[in-house]
mmCIF file of all heavy atoms in Angstrom:
data_model
loop_
_atom_site.group_PDB
_atom_site.id
_atom_site.type_symbol
_atom_site.label_atom_id
_atom_site.label_comp_id
_atom_site.label_asym_id
_atom_site.label_seq_id
_atom_site.Cartn_x
_atom_site.Cartn_y
_atom_site.Cartn_z
ATOM 1 N N GLY D 492 -13.700 25.802 0.887
ATOM 2 C CA GLY D 492 -12.568 25.707 1.801
ATOM 3 C C GLY D 492 -11.265 25.478 1.125
ATOM 4 O O GLY D 492 -10.517 24.550 1.538
ATOM 5 N N TYR D 493 -10.935 26.248 0.126
ATOM 6 C CA TYR D 493 -9.692 26.085 -0.647
ATOM 7 C C TYR D 493 -8.489 25.903 0.217
ATOM 8 O O TYR D 493 -7.749 24.954 0.085
ATOM 9 C CB TYR D 493 -9.505 27.267 -1.606
ATOM 10 C CG TYR D 493 -8.156 27.299 -2.267
ATOM 11 C CD1 TYR D 493 -7.984 26.664 -3.580
ATOM 12 C CD2 TYR D 493 -7.067 27.963 -1.710
ATOM 13 C CE1 TYR D 493 -6.787 26.755 -4.152
ATOM 14 C CE2 TYR D 493 -5.831 27.984 -2.308
ATOM 15 C CZ TYR D 493 -5.662 27.382 -3.567
ATOM 16 O OH TYR D 493 -4.464 27.416 -4.164
ATOM 17 N N LYS D 494 -8.308 26.832 1.167
ATOM 18 C CA LYS D 494 -7.096 26.745 1.997
ATOM 19 C C LYS D 494 -7.052 25.500 2.839
ATOM 20 O O LYS D 494 -5.965 24.976 3.126
ATOM 21 C CB LYS D 494 -6.957 28.004 2.877
ATOM 22 C CG LYS D 494 -6.655 29.240 2.063
ATOM 23 C CD LYS D 494 -6.362 30.393 2.931
ATOM 24 C CE LYS D 494 -6.112 31.642 2.105
ATOM 25 N NZ LYS D 494 -6.003 32.880 2.890
ATOM 26 N N PHE D 495 -8.173 25.097 3.298
ATOM 27 C CA PHE D 495 -8.217 23.875 4.168
ATOM 28 C C PHE D 495 -7.829 22.634 3.305
ATOM 29 O O PHE D 495 -7.060 21.786 3.742
ATOM 30 C CB PHE D 495 -9.563 23.669 4.781
ATOM 31 C CG PHE D 495 -9.783 24.597 5.923
ATOM 32 C CD1 PHE D 495 -10.306 25.899 5.686
ATOM 33 C CD2 PHE D 495 -9.518 24.241 7.211
ATOM 34 C CE1 PHE D 495 -10.507 26.786 6.720
ATOM 35 C CE2 PHE D 495 -9.704 25.124 8.256
ATOM 36 C CZ PHE D 495 -10.193 26.400 7.969
ATOM 37 N N VAL D 496 -8.348 22.581 2.114
ATOM 38 C CA VAL D 496 -8.003 21.457 1.235
ATOM 39 C C VAL D 496 -6.494 21.460 0.884
ATOM 40 O O VAL D 496 -5.892 20.451 0.912
ATOM 41 C CB VAL D 496 -8.891 21.462 -0.036
ATOM 42 C CG1 VAL D 496 -8.523 20.285 -0.936
ATOM 43 C CG2 VAL D 496 -10.320 21.459 0.306
ATOM 44 N N ALA D 497 -6.036 22.673 0.620
ATOM 45 C CA ALA D 497 -4.626 22.767 0.237
ATOM 46 C C ALA D 497 -3.712 22.383 1.401
ATOM 47 O O ALA D 497 -2.820 21.493 1.263
ATOM 48 C CB ALA D 497 -4.300 24.241 -0.136
ATOM 49 N N TRP D 498 -3.955 22.925 2.553
ATOM 50 C CA TRP D 498 -3.100 22.609 3.722
ATOM 51 C C TRP D 498 -3.284 21.179 4.225
ATOM 52 O O TRP D 498 -2.388 20.617 4.835
ATOM 53 C CB TRP D 498 -3.269 23.643 4.801
ATOM 54 C CG TRP D 498 -2.483 24.892 4.476
ATOM 55 C CD1 TRP D 498 -3.051 26.031 4.002
ATOM 56 C CD2 TRP D 498 -1.123 25.079 4.514
ATOM 57 N NE1 TRP D 498 -2.060 26.978 3.747
ATOM 58 C CE2 TRP D 498 -0.838 26.433 4.090
ATOM 59 C CE3 TRP D 498 0.013 24.266 4.885
ATOM 60 C CZ2 TRP D 498 0.441 26.979 3.952
ATOM 61 C CZ3 TRP D 498 1.248 24.823 4.794
ATOM 62 C CH2 TRP D 498 1.474 26.143 4.326
ATOM 63 N N ALA D 499 -4.468 20.662 3.950
ATOM 64 C CA ALA D 499 -4.685 19.253 4.411
ATOM 65 C C ALA D 499 -3.722 18.324 3.667
ATOM 66 O O ALA D 499 -3.219 17.367 4.226
ATOM 67 C CB ALA D 499 -6.154 18.820 4.109
ATOM 68 N N SER D 500 -3.403 18.628 2.398
ATOM 69 C CA SER D 500 -2.383 17.871 1.665
ATOM 70 C C SER D 500 -1.086 17.883 2.358
ATOM 71 O O SER D 500 -0.384 16.886 2.573
ATOM 72 C CB SER D 500 -2.233 18.339 0.225
ATOM 73 O OG SER D 500 -3.424 18.154 -0.498
ATOM 74 N N VAL D 501 -0.680 19.119 2.763
ATOM 75 C CA VAL D 501 0.590 19.286 3.388
ATOM 76 C C VAL D 501 0.590 18.500 4.778
ATOM 77 O O VAL D 501 1.531 17.856 5.126
ATOM 78 C CB VAL D 501 0.924 20.751 3.621
ATOM 79 C CG1 VAL D 501 2.288 20.936 4.330
ATOM 80 C CG2 VAL D 501 0.902 21.489 2.281
ATOM 81 N N ALA D 502 -0.538 18.617 5.503
ATOM 82 C CA ALA D 502 -0.640 17.941 6.765
ATOM 83 C C ALA D 502 -0.512 16.443 6.600
ATOM 84 O O ALA D 502 0.171 15.779 7.377
ATOM 85 C CB ALA D 502 -1.959 18.317 7.460
ATOM 86 N N ILE D 503 -1.188 15.928 5.613
ATOM 87 C CA ILE D 503 -1.116 14.493 5.357
ATOM 88 C C ILE D 503 0.347 14.046 5.103
ATOM 89 O O ILE D 503 0.799 13.095 5.622
ATOM 90 C CB ILE D 503 -2.043 14.093 4.163
ATOM 91 C CG1 ILE D 503 -3.494 14.236 4.587
ATOM 92 C CG2 ILE D 503 -1.715 12.712 3.720
ATOM 93 C CD1 ILE D 503 -4.467 13.959 3.468
ATOM 94 N N ALA D 504 0.981 14.825 4.243
ATOM 95 C CA ALA D 504 2.385 14.502 3.921
ATOM 96 C C ALA D 504 3.246 14.554 5.151
ATOM 97 O O ALA D 504 4.088 13.676 5.363
ATOM 98 C CB ALA D 504 2.911 15.512 2.857
ATOM 99 N N ALA D 505 3.022 15.515 6.020
ATOM 100 C CA ALA D 505 3.823 15.630 7.236
ATOM 101 C C ALA D 505 3.593 14.516 8.216
ATOM 102 O O ALA D 505 4.415 13.779 8.673
ATOM 103 C CB ALA D 505 3.647 17.020 7.900
ATOM 104 N N ILE D 506 2.298 14.411 8.620
ATOM 105 C CA ILE D 506 1.949 13.400 9.659
ATOM 106 C C ILE D 506 2.173 12.030 9.145
ATOM 107 O O ILE D 506 2.465 11.078 9.875
ATOM 108 C CB ILE D 506 0.492 13.588 10.116
ATOM 109 C CG1 ILE D 506 0.200 15.054 10.527
ATOM 110 C CG2 ILE D 506 0.192 12.661 11.313
ATOM 111 C CD1 ILE D 506 -1.216 15.351 10.855
ATOM 112 N N GLY D 507 2.039 11.856 7.830
ATOM 113 C CA GLY D 507 2.223 10.542 7.219
ATOM 114 C C GLY D 507 3.570 9.929 7.513
ATOM 115 O O GLY D 507 3.768 8.691 7.413
#
Side-chain angles (χ1 to χ4, degrees):
Chain D
Y493 170 90
K494 287 187 184 172
F495 285 85
V496 181
W498 282 102
S500 291
V501 180
I503 289 176
I506 308 173

